[in-house]
Amino acid sequence: MRTIIEPFRIKAIEPIRMTSRDEREKLIQEAAYNVFLLPARDVLIDLLTDSGTGAMSAAQWAGIMRGDESYAGSDSYYRFENAVKDIFGFSHVIPTHQGRAAERILFSTVCSTGQTVPSNSHFDTTRANIAYVGAEPVDLPCVESRVLADPHPFKGDMNLEALQHLLEQCEPGKVPLVMLTITNNSGGGQPVSMANIRATSKICRKHKVPLYIDACRFAENAYFIKQRERGYEDVALIDIAREMFSCADGCTMSAKKDGMANIGGFLASNDEQLTREERNLLILTEGFPTYGGLAGRDLEAIAVGLYEALELDYQHYRIISTEYLGQHIAAAGVPIVQPPGGHAIYIDAASFCPQIAPLEYPGITLTVELYREAGVRAVEIGSVMFGSVDTESGQEQPAPNELVRLAIPRRVYTQSHIDYVVEAIVNVFERRDALKGYRIIEQPALLRHFSAHFAPL
Ligand code: F0G
């Protein structure tokens, strides 16, 4: 059979509320043209994020029911710890309420003012947690990632020469660790090859700097390695995952992605002394080391979900269905980051509506139009999210790219939902010449994309 189907049946459904174009026009105006300010009940297809928005399996819900809520040493904790050790191979595991809590604990323990933390590309919370302790996050993405339309198979790779150069130039102790984000979310959901993970690890070991993996979408990365890297065709996803993590000294994880859970995360490493210090911080702000800010039932859902993410049929459906969206809009001429990523499709809004200048926020135009057209919610990843202000001139500087991300929640939407999204995007594309930009009329000092108010130009 050539038809690829969702490898599950649907047992519980959640109605979505239909809205008319007139209603949406009023709602988006009331939300000051910022889709973050829309109530979720007014959204038909929500592609804002794939984080914590997935549907759990029957096995996960069964786990929820047997959650052991003991404060210390619950059975659920041991099931969680066994799963993490089995897949990731690290000897010390610290549960946290989500990925950024693991980042905060890690960087407040190992990192201090004046240090530098290189990565293929830091996610924004990672970047913020490094900056918060006075250190500098540095992105070293591979050169292939610069051309959005180039379909290179591993555009998430670390730029090895740049990493080597940085570590050679730095005085000892300047770099407390190197991060590798798999898949590379900020770089378009693109995977990192095993060859690149190995080579990064070799460079780090030569310079005696620990390598940490930001593991949020580790199972999707493993699937891309199986599909695209020679020698891995017949290797099980779990073994690819084990091999990836064997190259690293530790990892941070948001279980809201490839943990297939609605909340949770962890920090893991092989360093006993470091773990002791991290646990002290954990107790201060997250909770006792055997629950770390999570309920026992959440630990159960993660213990089951980590294995489900590594099931081949699931990943096959996951990656093919994301690609389906990308290929259908690309076939209609919509410019996207190529090749399609694991968890999301990124539209190149600057090429979509070139008449809108970067500081008139073409990504905002596109998110507003997708909502108006069909009630679809996407997110701008461009100058509103990543623009900066020049400290000398006070001038706003645009971000390097104006993207709009359509992130696909796990196991939530069917192919007809995606067909509906394709139609919406193509309809907006057909009237792209008439689109106009936006200006900001109100914004907070930090993380402005979440709450800024806009007005049409
Ligand atoms: N690292 C990566 C690569 C991420 O994508 C995220 C979250 C985090 C760390 C932080 O994890 O949310 O559990 O604290 N990404 C979400 C997104 C929010 O929409 O891409 P968290």
Side-chain angles (χ1 to χ4, degrees):
M1 287 296 295
R2 277 179 297 116
T3 308
I4 294 154
I5 58 170
E6 287 86 358
F8 48 79
R9 308 186 283 197
I10 296 167
K11 177 138 77 181
I13 60 102
E14 194 179 359
I16 47 182
R17 194 177 77 87
M18 298 295 171
T19 47
S20 68
R21 207 187 167 91
D22 286 347
E23 275 179 275
R24 291 195 293 271
E25 187 62 56
K26 193 164 158 282
L27 289 161
I28 193 70
Q29 207 176 326
E30 282 167 8
Y33 302 97
N34 184 343
V35 292
F36 278 104
L37 303 180
L38 286 167
R41 69 184 298 273
D42 297 326
V43 175
L44 262 133
I45 308 280
D46 204 345
L47 306 183
L48 192 63
T49 179
D50 65 320
S51 180
T53 52
M56 289 206 293
S57 66
Q60 284 179 296
W61 283 109
I64 294 271
M65 290 311 294
R66 77 167 173 177
D68 172 359
E69 305 303 342
S70 304
Y71 190 93
S74 74
D75 275 356
S76 301
Y77 172 74
Y78 292 112
R79 274 191 282 273
F80 161 84
E81 188 191 57
N82 285 340
V84 175
K85 286 184 171 173
D86 181 35
I87 297 167
F88 296 79
F90 299 114
S91 40
H92 305 289
V93 182
I94 293 178
T96 59
H97 81 275
Q98 62 184 86
R100 67 198 72 182
E103 292 164 3
R104 187 189 63 80
I105 290 172
L106 174 65
F107 293 115
S108 356
T109 313
V110 301
C111 203
S112 55
T113 311
Q115 289 186 312
T116 297
V117 183
S119 170
N120 51 343
S121 291
H122 290 288
F123 181 65
D124 54 4
T125 58
T126 324
R127 174 178 299 285
N129 272 297
I130 293 167
Y132 190 70
V133 296
E136 189 196 4
V138 175
D139 288 349
L140 305 173
C142 65
V143 285
E144 290 82 1
S145 68
R146 287 189 207 139
V147 185
L148 298 183
D150 177 2
H152 183 272
F154 289 106
K155 277 169 103 174
D157 280 357
M158 174 81 85
N159 184 331
L160 298 169
E161 288 91 71
L163 178 66
Q164 173 96 12
H165 182 74
L166 186 147
L167 291 175
E168 273 163 14
Q169 298 302 307
C170 283
E171 66 263 28
K174 172 95 173 168
V175 177
L177 58 86
V178 170
M179 289 292 285
L180 195 57
T181 311
I182 64 171
T183 59
N184 188 345
N185 184 7
S186 319
Q190 302 293 328
V192 181
S193 68
M194 190 71 87
N196 190 263
I197 298 175
R198 281 191 177 293
T200 303
S201 172
K202 204 167 151 201
I203 295 172
C204 290
R205 289 196 175 147
K206 183 173 149 209
H207 290 89
K208 300 195 168 48
V209 174
L211 172 64
Y212 271 67
I213 292 181
D214 176 337
C216 295
R217 299 177 180 87
F218 76 100
E220 291 173 11
N221 202 85
Y223 181 83
F224 280 120
I225 289 176
K226 187 175 172 77
Q227 288 297 304
R228 298 180 184 173
E229 197 162 348
R230 273 183 78 183
Y232 290 93
E233 302 83 354
D234 300 322
V235 184
L237 295 181
I238 192 165
D239 292 322
I240 297 177
R242 287 176 179 140
E243 190 176 332
M244 297 189 306
F245 292 102
S246 73
C247 300
D249 301 283
C251 77
T252 55
M253 173 74 183
S254 166
K256 301 172 75 172
K257 285 85 169 173
D258 278 349
M260 313 291 276
N262 300 123
I263 196 73
F266 57 85
L267 170 60
S269 80
N270 291 321
D271 189 330
E272 191 175 347
Q273 174 56 31
L274 178 66
T275 303
R276 220 171 283 143
E277 291 170 44
E278 289 166 344
R279 283 212 175 104
N280 290 338
L281 256 186
L282 181 84
I283 294 174
L284 199 64
T285 55
E286 290 275 304
F288 190 75
T290 62
Y291 73 85
L294 293 168
R297 53 182 172 270
D298 301 324
L299 294 165
E300 294 277 355
I302 299 167
V304 175
L306 288 170
Y307 287 105
E308 289 183 352
L310 290 165
E311 281 170 13
L312 187 57
D313 285 344
Y314 161 71
Q315 274 306 335
H316 191 54
Y317 137 79
R318 167 81 176 150
I319 302 301
I320 296 273
S321 56
T322 306
E323 198 179 279
Y324 178 92
L325 170 59
Q327 279 172 351
H328 279 74
I329 59 172
V334 176
I336 64 166
V337 176
Q338 290 282 9
H343 68 296
I345 295 299
Y346 294 68
I347 299 178
D348 178 0
S351 308
F352 190 107
C353 32
Q355 73 276 22
I356 303 176
L359 294 180
E360 295 173 2
Y361 315 123
I364 295 299
T365 301
L366 203 47
T367 56
V368 170
E369 290 308 320
L370 286 176
Y371 182 71
R372 265 199 184 119
E373 181 72 28
V376 174
R377 177 155 69 173
V379 66
E380 189 255 17
I381 302 197
S383 290
V384 175
M385 194 182 272
F386 288 127
S388 57
V389 175
D390 186 279
T391 38
E392 276 174 21
S393 64
Q395 290 275 305
E396 193 178 342
Q397 301 292 320
N401 294 307
E402 302 299 330
L403 303 177
V404 167
R405 184 181 77 169
L406 305 149
I408 320 284
R410 292 170 181 76
R411 305 188 290 208
V412 170
Y413 294 117
T414 64
Q415 188 167 337
S416 60
H417 289 118
I418 299 299
D419 286 334
Y420 175 90
V421 175
V422 169
E423 185 182 335
I425 296 168
V426 172
N427 286 352
V428 175
F429 189 60
E430 279 167 3
R431 54 183 176 83
R432 64 190 178 280
D433 293 342
L435 301 179
K436 295 208 166 61
Y438 283 79
R439 66 189 170 90
I440 294 178
I441 52 173
E442 200 184 303
Q443 60 179 315
L446 267 182
L447 297 171
R448 63 180 183 172
H449 55 285
F450 290 128
S451 56
H453 290 193
F454 299 93
L457 285 171

